[in-house]
Amino acid sequence: LNEYYKKSRGVIIPALAEGFGLPLIEAHFHGKQIIASDLPVFREVAPEGVNFFRLSEAEDLAGVIRNIEDSASVKSPERYLDWRTATERMISIIKNNAYQIRQD
């Protein structure tokens, strides 16, 4: 999958339903321009610059594709924490807060 991301200019995500919006987050992580169906979960997790279309309207998708700027203008994606780093930070916060609570 990583090889496909390296070779692609963008990603179209024509989903009818999606639980957590992970395809959109993954495409953003790889720095790709994103066109996604207009789902509430995608709107909730979408970074700036995602292009939405109504899945029921073929012309809507065609219009979005016609209006996309050159992929060179896509901003570099922000980097997300990996599981190890996120867990270590969470443990540190819990330990520090537990210590402060005991001191009070």
Side-chain angles (χ1 to χ4, degrees):
L1 188 58
N2 285 329
E3 289 302 313
Y4 287 116
Y5 273 116
K6 287 179 187 175
K7 295 177 182 178
S8 70
R9 292 181 55 197
V11 178
I12 299 175
I13 308 170
L16 290 170
E18 173 60 40
F20 300 104
L22 294 179
L24 191 143
I25 293 168
E26 183 177 57
H28 175 65
F29 179 79
H30 286 279
K32 300 304 172 182
Q33 201 158 53
I34 303 166
I35 301 172
S37 51
D38 195 1
L39 297 176
V41 68
F42 284 164
R43 291 267 180 194
E44 185 178 325
V45 300
E48 187 176 324
V50 172
N51 296 282
F52 292 101
F53 68 98
R54 292 170 300 203
L55 197 57
S56 61
E57 302 290 329
E59 184 54 39
D60 205 22
L61 174 58
V64 169
I65 292 171
R66 280 192 296 269
N67 292 325
I68 297 255
E69 294 180 1
D70 185 13
S71 63
S73 67
V74 176
K75 296 178 184 175
S76 297
E78 52 194 83
R79 292 292 170 197
Y80 296 96
L81 295 177
D82 59 45
W83 283 108
R84 178 183 298 274
T85 305
T87 303
E88 289 169 353
R89 287 186 185 178
M90 181 181 66
I91 290 170
S92 174
I93 290 168
I94 291 169
K95 284 181 177 178
N96 288 335
N97 285 337
Y99 180 75
Q100 290 174 1
I101 291 169
R102 280 186 250 136
Q103 294 297 316
D104 294 340

